[in-house]
Structure formats: structure tokens, C-alpha cells
Amino acid sequence: MRVNMAIDLLKESSSFAEAAKSLSSHYWISKRQAYRYVKMAESVGKQIPIPEKKIAFTVKLSENLTQELRQYALFQGQTLSEVVTEALEVLLYKGRRSVSD
């Protein structure tokens, strides 16, 4: 969020120093830290997407399915959350079924 704000401030401000000063006062951070954010914003040059907030969601799965899921995640180098998120997104967004199915 701070980098995105710094990008906006760089566009609005007349100088790098002014953008850093505004960022510092807005977030109550040191000028040194604000300069770091503004420098990062300058190098990135575009808004950084902010990921959607995640919440815990508990489900009960069979022992076999859980074991398969853990093995798959390990093989893929992903967390269980990443694997389950991908699978649910495929089911919900890419594999939509008609109501009659």
C-alpha cells in the first residue's frame, strides 16, 4: 500500500523529496523509510496489486484424500492452501457446470 501511495505522490509532487515528506507524514514513518518507499515506487513505476485478504476455512476430508493432497503439494512445492485454492478456483471459475448437471 505504501509503495502504491508513493507512486501516486510521485505523480502529484514536484519533487522526490516532496513525495517522501508527504508519505512520511501520512503514514507516520521516518523520512528515511519514506525515501525507501519512494525509491521503490520510482523503480516499480506502476501500482502493485494488493492481494485479497485470506481467512481460515476448515473442512473435513478423508484420510486418504488428505494424504494425497499433502503428497501433491510437496511434489509441486506448494502449500496446502495454494493447492486447494487453485483447485477451488478451477471448479468455481473455469469449470462452471450448468444447473441441470
Side-chain angles (χ1 to χ4, degrees):
M1 288 174 61
R2 292 179 181 179
V3 173
N4 288 343
M5 172 73 111
I7 289 169
D8 292 339
L9 289 170
L10 274 172
K11 291 176 185 174
E12 297 168 5
S13 301
S14 59
S15 70
F16 190 92
E18 185 182 327
K21 184 179 177 185
S22 296
L23 191 66
S24 173
S25 63
H26 182 80
Y27 284 110
W28 294 75
I29 57 176
S30 70
K31 288 181 183 175
R32 175 185 242 173
Q33 187 62 45
Y35 270 96
R36 288 184 188 137
Y37 283 118
V38 173
K39 185 145 182 86
M40 190 182 303
E42 190 177 51
S43 68
V44 172
K46 62 180 181 179
Q47 296 284 319
I48 298 171
I50 299 171
E52 193 175 344
K53 181 181 174 187
K54 296 185 178 187
I55 60 170
F57 179 71
T58 305
V59 297
K60 292 187 179 201
L61 303 172
S62 70
E63 190 173 329
N64 185 46
L65 183 58
T66 303
Q67 184 178 3
E68 292 283 335
L69 180 60
R70 289 178 197 272
Q71 289 175 348
Y72 181 83
L74 184 64
F75 179 75
Q76 295 295 319
Q78 295 178 295
T79 65
L80 291 174
S81 291
E82 290 169 334
V83 171
V84 171
T85 297
E86 285 179 14
L88 290 174
E89 286 175 345
V90 167
L91 175 70
L92 296 173
Y93 304 126
K94 296 177 186 161
R96 292 191 184 253
R97 297 180 185 177
S98 67
V99 179
S100 61
D101 283 355

